[in-house]
Amino acid sequence: MSTEKKPTGHQQEPNRAVHPLAGKFIVFDGVDGCGKSTQLGEFEKYLSDRGVTYRRFREPGGTAIGEDIRNILLTKRGEGMHIRAEMLLYMASRAQLVYQEIRPALAAGVTVLADRYTSSTLAYQGSAGGIATADILATARAATENLWPDLTIILDITIATARQRTTKKGDIHQTGLFEDRIEQRPANFHQHVREGFLSQCDQFPDTYRLIDATGKPEVVRKRIFAAIEKFFGVK
Ligand code: TYD
């Protein structure tokens, strides 16, 4: 983006002018236990160190309404829910987040980091749940009025590694990952989810980057930073 002063609008934001990552919408996604929350934390530090203003959101949730929807989706309250109702609730949470938080942030030149987005619906309710990609894309278009991330980072690990990682953790994750309603699904469900993420990387090569998320967190972090810097032309 040009550093010239513009007469009106958010382009005057210094944030936008100084860094190629300013005002971008970046999603981290992948199977449960792929390490995206840790890596998002690392990337937050990266942005802070460079003076890039950002906001981070999680899905489902990120707003009061979205957190209520999350409670239905990820607890016993959602038992017996049809996969299509589930897909629409994820989208409802997303619509609220997009209009309440994401669009205003981007309009102000703030970088937006999202822990999951439509890529998760395509993988979980689509590839694993059986809903056609075209139906999910059409619903996402309606829910977000066509707001797509500039870049979606997919962190890829095998399901066996993901399970090992999540059961090893002695923190809150022990009662979280693989234990809420969604994560109690059989191993082959998660395998389909993983394949769903991989096939999105093939399908949308212009806006997705696949990262090998095996190995130490600092090694994975370097891979992610390199991919993002290359994508946005950060010098
Ligand atoms: P969460 O506890 O936030 O897990 P994680 O830390 O792995 O993101 O739970 C979110 C769960 O919701 C996760 O299992 C994936 C699922 N999900 C979908 O099935 N569809 C979606 O569109 C989204 C956003 C999440």
Side-chain angles (χ1 to χ4, degrees), residues 39-71:
Q39 294 299 338
L40 266 166
E42 295 296 324
F43 191 56
E44 284 186 87
K45 279 184 227 146
Y46 175 103
L47 292 177
S48 301
D49 289 348
R50 286 156 185 81
V52 178
T53 313
Y54 69 89
R55 297 206 51 206
R56 173 179 170 174
F57 302 105
R58 73 160 178 185
E59 282 208 7
T63 64
I65 290 169
E67 293 295 325
D68 278 353
I69 295 173
R70 179 186 179 90
N71 248 321

PDB file of all heavy atoms in Angstrom, residues 39-71:
ATOM      1  N   GLN A  39       0.520 -21.174  18.248  1.00  0.00           N
ATOM      2  CA  GLN A  39       1.170 -20.461  17.148  1.00  0.00           C
ATOM      3  C   GLN A  39       0.542 -19.090  16.918  1.00  0.00           C
ATOM      4  O   GLN A  39       1.232 -18.148  16.537  1.00  0.00           O
ATOM      5  CB  GLN A  39       1.134 -21.310  15.863  1.00  0.00           C
ATOM      6  CG  GLN A  39       1.964 -22.583  15.962  1.00  0.00           C
ATOM      7  CD  GLN A  39       3.450 -22.315  16.205  1.00  0.00           C
ATOM      8  OE1 GLN A  39       3.963 -21.230  15.912  1.00  0.00           O
ATOM      9  NE2 GLN A  39       4.151 -23.292  16.752  1.00  0.00           N
ATOM     10  N   LEU A  40      -0.748 -18.977  17.176  1.00  0.00           N
ATOM     11  CA  LEU A  40      -1.380 -17.650  17.080  1.00  0.00           C
ATOM     12  C   LEU A  40      -0.776 -16.716  18.113  1.00  0.00           C
ATOM     13  O   LEU A  40      -0.540 -15.538  17.835  1.00  0.00           O
ATOM     14  CB  LEU A  40      -2.893 -17.768  17.302  1.00  0.00           C
ATOM     15  CG  LEU A  40      -3.724 -17.910  16.025  1.00  0.00           C
ATOM     16  CD1 LEU A  40      -5.145 -18.365  16.361  1.00  0.00           C
ATOM     17  CD2 LEU A  40      -3.780 -16.601  15.238  1.00  0.00           C
ATOM     18  N   GLY A  41      -0.505 -17.258  19.296  1.00  0.00           N
ATOM     19  CA  GLY A  41       0.135 -16.469  20.353  1.00  0.00           C
ATOM     20  C   GLY A  41       1.509 -15.976  19.903  1.00  0.00           C
ATOM     21  O   GLY A  41       1.880 -14.830  20.131  1.00  0.00           O
ATOM     22  N   GLU A  42       2.253 -16.851  19.228  1.00  0.00           N
ATOM     23  CA  GLU A  42       3.572 -16.465  18.717  1.00  0.00           C
ATOM     24  C   GLU A  42       3.436 -15.367  17.669  1.00  0.00           C
ATOM     25  O   GLU A  42       4.219 -14.417  17.632  1.00  0.00           O
ATOM     26  CB  GLU A  42       4.276 -17.679  18.083  1.00  0.00           C
ATOM     27  CG  GLU A  42       4.603 -18.792  19.058  1.00  0.00           C
ATOM     28  CD  GLU A  42       5.611 -18.349  20.109  1.00  0.00           C
ATOM     29  OE1 GLU A  42       6.507 -17.564  19.770  1.00  0.00           O
ATOM     30  OE2 GLU A  42       5.483 -18.781  21.273  1.00  0.00           O
ATOM     31  N   PHE A  43       2.435 -15.510  16.830  1.00  0.00           N
ATOM     32  CA  PHE A  43       2.261 -14.520  15.772  1.00  0.00           C
ATOM     33  C   PHE A  43       1.767 -13.184  16.334  1.00  0.00           C
ATOM     34  O   PHE A  43       2.096 -12.126  15.792  1.00  0.00           O
ATOM     35  CB  PHE A  43       1.317 -15.057  14.688  1.00  0.00           C
ATOM     36  CG  PHE A  43       1.318 -14.202  13.452  1.00  0.00           C
ATOM     37  CD1 PHE A  43       2.511 -13.946  12.782  1.00  0.00           C
ATOM     38  CD2 PHE A  43       0.154 -13.638  12.971  1.00  0.00           C
ATOM     39  CE1 PHE A  43       2.535 -13.132  11.646  1.00  0.00           C
ATOM     40  CE2 PHE A  43       0.173 -12.815  11.850  1.00  0.00           C
ATOM     41  CZ  PHE A  43       1.368 -12.567  11.181  1.00  0.00           C
ATOM     42  N   GLU A  44       1.031 -13.244  17.434  1.00  0.00           N
ATOM     43  CA  GLU A  44       0.640 -11.990  18.109  1.00  0.00           C
ATOM     44  C   GLU A  44       1.891 -11.228  18.538  1.00  0.00           C
ATOM     45  O   GLU A  44       1.982 -10.015  18.365  1.00  0.00           O
ATOM     46  CB  GLU A  44      -0.225 -12.294  19.340  1.00  0.00           C
ATOM     47  CG  GLU A  44      -1.655 -12.675  19.007  1.00  0.00           C
ATOM     48  CD  GLU A  44      -2.477 -12.812  20.274  1.00  0.00           C
ATOM     49  OE1 GLU A  44      -3.015 -11.802  20.752  1.00  0.00           O
ATOM     50  OE2 GLU A  44      -2.588 -13.949  20.781  1.00  0.00           O
ATOM     51  N   LYS A  45       2.863 -11.979  19.095  1.00  0.00           N
ATOM     52  CA  LYS A  45       4.109 -11.329  19.523  1.00  0.00           C
ATOM     53  C   LYS A  45       4.835 -10.725  18.329  1.00  0.00           C
ATOM     54  O   LYS A  45       5.370  -9.617  18.395  1.00  0.00           O
ATOM     55  CB  LYS A  45       5.037 -12.352  20.212  1.00  0.00           C
ATOM     56  CG  LYS A  45       4.673 -12.605  21.658  1.00  0.00           C
ATOM     57  CD  LYS A  45       5.699 -13.550  22.303  1.00  0.00           C
ATOM     58  CE  LYS A  45       4.988 -14.637  23.078  1.00  0.00           C
ATOM     59  NZ  LYS A  45       5.671 -15.937  23.065  1.00  0.00           N
ATOM     60  N   TYR A  46       4.843 -11.467  17.238  1.00  0.00           N
ATOM     61  CA  TYR A  46       5.488 -10.987  15.999  1.00  0.00           C
ATOM     62  C   TYR A  46       4.881  -9.637  15.598  1.00  0.00           C
ATOM     63  O   TYR A  46       5.607  -8.680  15.302  1.00  0.00           O
ATOM     64  CB  TYR A  46       5.260 -12.037  14.898  1.00  0.00           C
ATOM     65  CG  TYR A  46       5.760 -11.663  13.521  1.00  0.00           C
ATOM     66  CD1 TYR A  46       6.945 -12.196  13.013  1.00  0.00           C
ATOM     67  CD2 TYR A  46       5.029 -10.801  12.695  1.00  0.00           C
ATOM     68  CE1 TYR A  46       7.396 -11.868  11.741  1.00  0.00           C
ATOM     69  CE2 TYR A  46       5.475 -10.464  11.426  1.00  0.00           C
ATOM     70  CZ  TYR A  46       6.651 -10.998  10.954  1.00  0.00           C
ATOM     71  OH  TYR A  46       7.093 -10.670   9.699  1.00  0.00           O
ATOM     72  N   LEU A  47       3.563  -9.558  15.604  1.00  0.00           N
ATOM     73  CA  LEU A  47       2.897  -8.308  15.190  1.00  0.00           C
ATOM     74  C   LEU A  47       3.176  -7.178  16.185  1.00  0.00           C
ATOM     75  O   LEU A  47       3.485  -6.055  15.777  1.00  0.00           O
ATOM     76  CB  LEU A  47       1.379  -8.532  15.051  1.00  0.00           C
ATOM     77  CG  LEU A  47       0.938  -9.446  13.899  1.00  0.00           C
ATOM     78  CD1 LEU A  47      -0.584  -9.641  13.930  1.00  0.00           C
ATOM     79  CD2 LEU A  47       1.364  -8.893  12.542  1.00  0.00           C
ATOM     80  N   SER A  48       3.082  -7.500  17.491  1.00  0.00           N
ATOM     81  CA  SER A  48       3.339  -6.464  18.508  1.00  0.00           C
ATOM     82  C   SER A  48       4.742  -5.892  18.349  1.00  0.00           C
ATOM     83  O   SER A  48       4.933  -4.680  18.411  1.00  0.00           O
ATOM     84  CB  SER A  48       3.267  -7.030  19.918  1.00  0.00           C
ATOM     85  OG  SER A  48       2.036  -7.574  20.129  1.00  0.00           O
ATOM     86  N   ASP A  49       5.722  -6.797  18.156  1.00  0.00           N
ATOM     87  CA  ASP A  49       7.117  -6.347  18.030  1.00  0.00           C
ATOM     88  C   ASP A  49       7.306  -5.389  16.862  1.00  0.00           C
ATOM     89  O   ASP A  49       8.238  -4.595  16.853  1.00  0.00           O
ATOM     90  CB  ASP A  49       8.059  -7.552  17.822  1.00  0.00           C
ATOM     91  CG  ASP A  49       8.190  -8.384  19.085  1.00  0.00           C
ATOM     92  OD1 ASP A  49       7.753  -7.913  20.155  1.00  0.00           O
ATOM     93  OD2 ASP A  49       8.720  -9.520  18.987  1.00  0.00           O
ATOM     94  N   ARG A  50       6.441  -5.507  15.871  1.00  0.00           N
ATOM     95  CA  ARG A  50       6.581  -4.646  14.689  1.00  0.00           C
ATOM     96  C   ARG A  50       5.601  -3.482  14.700  1.00  0.00           C
ATOM     97  O   ARG A  50       5.445  -2.777  13.699  1.00  0.00           O
ATOM     98  CB  ARG A  50       6.403  -5.500  13.424  1.00  0.00           C
ATOM     99  CG  ARG A  50       7.628  -6.356  13.186  1.00  0.00           C
ATOM    100  CD  ARG A  50       7.344  -7.591  12.372  1.00  0.00           C
ATOM    101  NE  ARG A  50       8.543  -8.421  12.298  1.00  0.00           N
ATOM    102  CZ  ARG A  50       8.959  -9.256  13.249  1.00  0.00           C
ATOM    103  NH1 ARG A  50       8.276  -9.372  14.378  1.00  0.00           N
ATOM    104  NH2 ARG A  50      10.060  -9.963  13.090  1.00  0.00           N
ATOM    105  N   GLY A  51       4.922  -3.326  15.816  1.00  0.00           N
ATOM    106  CA  GLY A  51       4.010  -2.187  15.945  1.00  0.00           C
ATOM    107  C   GLY A  51       2.746  -2.299  15.107  1.00  0.00           C
ATOM    108  O   GLY A  51       2.103  -1.292  14.809  1.00  0.00           O
ATOM    109  N   VAL A  52       2.396  -3.534  14.710  1.00  0.00           N
ATOM    110  CA  VAL A  52       1.173  -3.713  13.916  1.00  0.00           C
ATOM    111  C   VAL A  52      -0.007  -3.926  14.876  1.00  0.00           C
ATOM    112  O   VAL A  52       0.021  -4.835  15.704  1.00  0.00           O
ATOM    113  CB  VAL A  52       1.305  -4.924  12.958  1.00  0.00           C
ATOM    114  CG1 VAL A  52       0.011  -5.135  12.176  1.00  0.00           C
ATOM    115  CG2 VAL A  52       2.486  -4.735  12.015  1.00  0.00           C
ATOM    116  N   THR A  53      -1.007  -3.080  14.758  1.00  0.00           N
ATOM    117  CA  THR A  53      -2.190  -3.205  15.623  1.00  0.00           C
ATOM    118  C   THR A  53      -3.045  -4.368  15.129  1.00  0.00           C
ATOM    119  O   THR A  53      -3.319  -4.471  13.926  1.00  0.00           O
ATOM    120  CB  THR A  53      -3.040  -1.917  15.544  1.00  0.00           C
ATOM    121  OG1 THR A  53      -2.167  -0.813  15.680  1.00  0.00           O
ATOM    122  CG2 THR A  53      -4.100  -1.881  16.619  1.00  0.00           C
ATOM    123  N   TYR A  54      -3.441  -5.233  16.056  1.00  0.00           N
ATOM    124  CA  TYR A  54      -4.216  -6.399  15.625  1.00  0.00           C
ATOM    125  C   TYR A  54      -5.289  -6.711  16.651  1.00  0.00           C
ATOM    126  O   TYR A  54      -5.243  -6.237  17.798  1.00  0.00           O
ATOM    127  CB  TYR A  54      -3.295  -7.623  15.461  1.00  0.00           C
ATOM    128  CG  TYR A  54      -2.775  -8.118  16.787  1.00  0.00           C
ATOM    129  CD1 TYR A  54      -3.492  -9.060  17.531  1.00  0.00           C
ATOM    130  CD2 TYR A  54      -1.598  -7.596  17.320  1.00  0.00           C
ATOM    131  CE1 TYR A  54      -3.042  -9.462  18.775  1.00  0.00           C
ATOM    132  CE2 TYR A  54      -1.137  -8.006  18.562  1.00  0.00           C
ATOM    133  CZ  TYR A  54      -1.864  -8.941  19.287  1.00  0.00           C
ATOM    134  OH  TYR A  54      -1.430  -9.329  20.516  1.00  0.00           O
ATOM    135  N   ARG A  55      -6.251  -7.548  16.230  1.00  0.00           N
ATOM    136  CA  ARG A  55      -7.204  -8.142  17.162  1.00  0.00           C
ATOM    137  C   ARG A  55      -7.292  -9.623  16.849  1.00  0.00           C
ATOM    138  O   ARG A  55      -7.149 -10.025  15.691  1.00  0.00           O
ATOM    139  CB  ARG A  55      -8.572  -7.474  17.030  1.00  0.00           C
ATOM    140  CG  ARG A  55      -8.470  -6.001  17.398  1.00  0.00           C
ATOM    141  CD  ARG A  55      -9.756  -5.424  17.890  1.00  0.00           C
ATOM    142  NE  ARG A  55     -10.361  -6.209  18.936  1.00  0.00           N
ATOM    143  CZ  ARG A  55     -11.679  -6.225  19.186  1.00  0.00           C
ATOM    144  NH1 ARG A  55     -12.489  -5.483  18.462  1.00  0.00           N
ATOM    145  NH2 ARG A  55     -12.178  -6.958  20.166  1.00  0.00           N
ATOM    146  N   ARG A  56      -7.506 -10.420  17.896  1.00  0.00           N
ATOM    147  CA  ARG A  56      -7.589 -11.870  17.715  1.00  0.00           C
ATOM    148  C   ARG A  56      -8.964 -12.358  18.151  1.00  0.00           C
ATOM    149  O   ARG A  56      -9.455 -11.965  19.206  1.00  0.00           O
ATOM    150  CB  ARG A  56      -6.498 -12.543  18.555  1.00  0.00           C
ATOM    151  CG  ARG A  56      -6.603 -14.055  18.581  1.00  0.00           C
ATOM    152  CD  ARG A  56      -5.476 -14.658  19.410  1.00  0.00           C
ATOM    153  NE  ARG A  56      -5.700 -16.072  19.645  1.00  0.00           N
ATOM    154  CZ  ARG A  56      -4.842 -16.884  20.235  1.00  0.00           C
ATOM    155  NH1 ARG A  56      -3.680 -16.406  20.666  1.00  0.00           N
ATOM    156  NH2 ARG A  56      -5.125 -18.164  20.425  1.00  0.00           N
ATOM    157  N   PHE A  57      -9.569 -13.225  17.340  1.00  0.00           N
ATOM    158  CA  PHE A  57     -10.890 -13.769  17.665  1.00  0.00           C
ATOM    159  C   PHE A  57     -10.869 -15.279  17.560  1.00  0.00           C
ATOM    160  O   PHE A  57     -10.055 -15.844  16.836  1.00  0.00           O
ATOM    161  CB  PHE A  57     -11.945 -13.221  16.683  1.00  0.00           C
ATOM    162  CG  PHE A  57     -12.021 -11.722  16.676  1.00  0.00           C
ATOM    163  CD1 PHE A  57     -11.485 -10.996  15.625  1.00  0.00           C
ATOM    164  CD2 PHE A  57     -12.605 -11.040  17.727  1.00  0.00           C
ATOM    165  CE1 PHE A  57     -11.533  -9.598  15.626  1.00  0.00           C
ATOM    166  CE2 PHE A  57     -12.662  -9.650  17.737  1.00  0.00           C
ATOM    167  CZ  PHE A  57     -12.123  -8.932  16.686  1.00  0.00           C
ATOM    168  N   ARG A  58     -11.820 -15.919  18.260  1.00  0.00           N
ATOM    169  CA  ARG A  58     -11.934 -17.366  18.115  1.00  0.00           C
ATOM    170  C   ARG A  58     -13.343 -17.735  17.654  1.00  0.00           C
ATOM    171  O   ARG A  58     -14.311 -17.025  17.923  1.00  0.00           O
ATOM    172  CB  ARG A  58     -11.632 -18.086  19.420  1.00  0.00           C
ATOM    173  CG  ARG A  58     -12.746 -17.947  20.455  1.00  0.00           C
ATOM    174  CD  ARG A  58     -12.638 -19.031  21.489  1.00  0.00           C
ATOM    175  NE  ARG A  58     -13.663 -18.895  22.512  1.00  0.00           N
ATOM    176  CZ  ARG A  58     -13.715 -19.664  23.580  1.00  0.00           C
ATOM    177  NH1 ARG A  58     -12.810 -20.592  23.762  1.00  0.00           N
ATOM    178  NH2 ARG A  58     -14.676 -19.505  24.476  1.00  0.00           N
ATOM    179  N   GLU A  59     -13.423 -18.869  16.975  1.00  0.00           N
ATOM    180  CA  GLU A  59     -14.721 -19.368  16.519  1.00  0.00           C
ATOM    181  C   GLU A  59     -14.941 -20.795  16.993  1.00  0.00           C
ATOM    182  O   GLU A  59     -13.971 -21.562  17.031  1.00  0.00           O
ATOM    183  CB  GLU A  59     -14.750 -19.379  14.992  1.00  0.00           C
ATOM    184  CG  GLU A  59     -14.970 -18.034  14.383  1.00  0.00           C
ATOM    185  CD  GLU A  59     -15.641 -18.175  13.032  1.00  0.00           C
ATOM    186  OE1 GLU A  59     -16.030 -19.300  12.659  1.00  0.00           O
ATOM    187  OE2 GLU A  59     -15.780 -17.177  12.368  1.00  0.00           O
ATOM    188  N   PRO A  60     -16.153 -21.225  17.256  1.00  0.00           N
ATOM    189  CA  PRO A  60     -17.307 -20.335  17.364  1.00  0.00           C
ATOM    190  C   PRO A  60     -17.165 -19.467  18.600  1.00  0.00           C
ATOM    191  O   PRO A  60     -16.548 -19.874  19.580  1.00  0.00           O
ATOM    192  CB  PRO A  60     -18.488 -21.298  17.484  1.00  0.00           C
ATOM    193  CG  PRO A  60     -17.902 -22.550  18.057  1.00  0.00           C
ATOM    194  CD  PRO A  60     -16.499 -22.620  17.545  1.00  0.00           C
ATOM    195  N   GLY A  61     -17.717 -18.268  18.555  1.00  0.00           N
ATOM    196  CA  GLY A  61     -17.649 -17.350  19.689  1.00  0.00           C
ATOM    197  C   GLY A  61     -17.119 -16.005  19.252  1.00  0.00           C
ATOM    198  O   GLY A  61     -17.369 -15.564  18.126  1.00  0.00           O
ATOM    199  N   GLY A  62     -16.402 -15.346  20.161  1.00  0.00           N
ATOM    200  CA  GLY A  62     -15.805 -14.055  19.840  1.00  0.00           C
ATOM    201  C   GLY A  62     -16.716 -12.861  20.086  1.00  0.00           C
ATOM    202  O   GLY A  62     -16.258 -11.726  20.061  1.00  0.00           O
ATOM    203  N   THR A  63     -18.005 -13.137  20.309  1.00  0.00           N
ATOM    204  CA  THR A  63     -18.968 -12.094  20.702  1.00  0.00           C
ATOM    205  C   THR A  63     -19.842 -12.729  21.781  1.00  0.00           C
ATOM    206  O   THR A  63     -19.848 -13.956  21.923  1.00  0.00           O
ATOM    207  CB  THR A  63     -19.892 -11.678  19.539  1.00  0.00           C
ATOM    208  OG1 THR A  63     -20.687 -12.821  19.159  1.00  0.00           O
ATOM    209  CG2 THR A  63     -19.112 -11.183  18.324  1.00  0.00           C
ATOM    210  N   ALA A  64     -20.619 -11.929  22.502  1.00  0.00           N
ATOM    211  CA  ALA A  64     -21.494 -12.496  23.538  1.00  0.00           C
ATOM    212  C   ALA A  64     -22.502 -13.462  22.904  1.00  0.00           C
ATOM    213  O   ALA A  64     -22.720 -14.580  23.399  1.00  0.00           O
ATOM    214  CB  ALA A  64     -22.206 -11.367  24.286  1.00  0.00           C
ATOM    215  N   ILE A  65     -23.080 -13.058  21.784  1.00  0.00           N
ATOM    216  CA  ILE A  65     -24.050 -13.931  21.095  1.00  0.00           C
ATOM    217  C   ILE A  65     -23.344 -15.189  20.594  1.00  0.00           C
ATOM    218  O   ILE A  65     -23.836 -16.311  20.741  1.00  0.00           O
ATOM    219  CB  ILE A  65     -24.714 -13.148  19.934  1.00  0.00           C
ATOM    220  CG1 ILE A  65     -25.637 -12.063  20.521  1.00  0.00           C
ATOM    221  CG2 ILE A  65     -25.487 -14.078  18.993  1.00  0.00           C
ATOM    222  CD1 ILE A  65     -26.155 -11.058  19.522  1.00  0.00           C
ATOM    223  N   GLY A  66     -22.171 -14.998  20.034  1.00  0.00           N
ATOM    224  CA  GLY A  66     -21.398 -16.132  19.528  1.00  0.00           C
ATOM    225  C   GLY A  66     -21.009 -17.112  20.628  1.00  0.00           C
ATOM    226  O   GLY A  66     -20.986 -18.328  20.418  1.00  0.00           O
ATOM    227  N   GLU A  67     -20.710 -16.582  21.823  1.00  0.00           N
ATOM    228  CA  GLU A  67     -20.341 -17.481  22.942  1.00  0.00           C
ATOM    229  C   GLU A  67     -21.556 -18.292  23.390  1.00  0.00           C
ATOM    230  O   GLU A  67     -21.425 -19.459  23.784  1.00  0.00           O
ATOM    231  CB  GLU A  67     -19.730 -16.696  24.109  1.00  0.00           C
ATOM    232  CG  GLU A  67     -18.354 -16.068  23.800  1.00  0.00           C
ATOM    233  CD  GLU A  67     -17.224 -17.077  23.522  1.00  0.00           C
ATOM    234  OE1 GLU A  67     -17.207 -18.161  24.138  1.00  0.00           O
ATOM    235  OE2 GLU A  67     -16.358 -16.770  22.678  1.00  0.00           O
ATOM    236  N   ASP A  68     -22.752 -17.692  23.323  1.00  0.00           N
ATOM    237  CA  ASP A  68     -23.974 -18.452  23.627  1.00  0.00           C
ATOM    238  C   ASP A  68     -24.162 -19.577  22.611  1.00  0.00           C
ATOM    239  O   ASP A  68     -24.503 -20.710  22.958  1.00  0.00           O
ATOM    240  CB  ASP A  68     -25.209 -17.534  23.599  1.00  0.00           C
ATOM    241  CG  ASP A  68     -25.376 -16.765  24.909  1.00  0.00           C
ATOM    242  OD1 ASP A  68     -24.620 -17.057  25.859  1.00  0.00           O
ATOM    243  OD2 ASP A  68     -26.252 -15.875  24.959  1.00  0.00           O
ATOM    244  N   ILE A  69     -23.941 -19.241  21.355  1.00  0.00           N
ATOM    245  CA  ILE A  69     -24.076 -20.255  20.295  1.00  0.00           C
ATOM    246  C   ILE A  69     -23.034 -21.354  20.514  1.00  0.00           C
ATOM    247  O   ILE A  69     -23.322 -22.546  20.384  1.00  0.00           O
ATOM    248  CB  ILE A  69     -23.920 -19.610  18.894  1.00  0.00           C
ATOM    249  CG1 ILE A  69     -25.071 -18.622  18.628  1.00  0.00           C
ATOM    250  CG2 ILE A  69     -23.858 -20.673  17.808  1.00  0.00           C
ATOM    251  CD1 ILE A  69     -24.933 -17.814  17.346  1.00  0.00           C
ATOM    252  N   ARG A  70     -21.821 -20.958  20.898  1.00  0.00           N
ATOM    253  CA  ARG A  70     -20.748 -21.922  21.173  1.00  0.00           C
ATOM    254  C   ARG A  70     -21.172 -22.920  22.255  1.00  0.00           C
ATOM    255  O   ARG A  70     -20.919 -24.116  22.154  1.00  0.00           O
ATOM    256  CB  ARG A  70     -19.497 -21.158  21.629  1.00  0.00           C
ATOM    257  CG  ARG A  70     -18.324 -22.053  21.974  1.00  0.00           C
ATOM    258  CD  ARG A  70     -17.161 -21.266  22.550  1.00  0.00           C
ATOM    259  NE  ARG A  70     -16.101 -22.171  22.885  1.00  0.00           N
ATOM    260  CZ  ARG A  70     -15.118 -22.535  22.061  1.00  0.00           C
ATOM    261  NH1 ARG A  70     -15.049 -22.030  20.853  1.00  0.00           N
ATOM    262  NH2 ARG A  70     -14.201 -23.394  22.440  1.00  0.00           N
ATOM    263  N   ASN A  71     -21.848 -22.388  23.272  1.00  0.00           N
ATOM    264  CA  ASN A  71     -22.324 -23.226  24.362  1.00  0.00           C
ATOM    265  C   ASN A  71     -23.302 -24.285  23.905  1.00  0.00           C
ATOM    266  O   ASN A  71     -23.321 -25.397  24.423  1.00  0.00           O
ATOM    267  CB  ASN A  71     -23.035 -22.343  25.386  1.00  0.00           C
ATOM    268  CG  ASN A  71     -22.248 -22.281  26.647  1.00  0.00           C
ATOM    269  OD1 ASN A  71     -21.685 -23.294  27.063  1.00  0.00           O
ATOM    270  ND2 ASN A  71     -22.187 -21.105  27.233  1.00  0.00           N
TER     271      ASN A  71
END
